[in-house]
Amino acid sequence: LLQGVRIPTLSFFDAVPTRIQVGDEAVTIQRPMFRLTRNLALVHNLMDDNDYLPSNKELEPLKYAKVAAAAHVSRRKVESCIQGTTSLLSYCLGKGKNVALILKDIG
């Protein structure tokens, strides 16, 4: 069972099963999904697609302590970096700037 991850105030990450046609055969693939949190999308009047997650899908909160240990930094530093990223993303969206959020080693 695949479980998505929720980063409070920023986004959701998940892999959603999607059926595609390959020649004569239907194949199910895991399609990666990234989604801004509803509050961030609403503040910037971004379109919302409600069909991206099955209704019974659970999103696991990001484990800040685990990220901190893997990165050899404090939990506070991880939380600060995520808050800073969220603030910068929100600022850029508010100014109508194009934004590329690169997620290294995801998926």
Side-chain angles (χ1 to χ4, degrees):
L1 177 67
L2 296 173
Q3 189 172 28
V5 175
R6 177 179 52 83
I7 300 175
T9 73
L10 180 60
S11 61
F12 309 41
F13 299 92
D14 201 5
V16 177
T18 305
R19 292 186 62 81
I20 62 170
Q21 194 70 31
V22 179
D24 294 334
E25 187 177 346
V27 177
T28 300
I29 62 168
Q30 295 296 323
R31 184 171 53 123
M33 299 295 290
F34 169 80
R35 192 68 194 265
L36 290 177
T37 58
R38 183 163 303 195
N39 289 343
L40 192 55
L42 287 174
V43 163
H44 297 292
N45 297 315
L46 300 174
M47 291 175 42
D48 192 16
D49 177 8
N50 293 327
D51 295 333
Y52 79 102
L53 278 180
S55 60
N56 60 347
K57 189 76 171 190
E58 289 187 29
L59 295 172
E60 181 178 330
L62 179 67
K63 295 184 178 359
Y64 292 103
K66 199 171 186 180
V67 172
H72 305 291
V73 297
S74 70
R75 177 189 168 109
R76 186 173 180 176
K77 180 77 164 185
V78 171
E79 291 172 350
S80 176
C81 286
I82 289 173
Q83 182 59 45
T85 300
T86 302
S87 295
L88 179 59
L89 181 63
S90 183
Y91 174 81
C92 291
L93 290 172
K95 293 293 184 180
K97 303 289 184 184
N98 288 329
V99 179
L101 184 59
I102 308 300
L103 305 169
K104 184 178 177 188
D105 298 329
I106 299 290

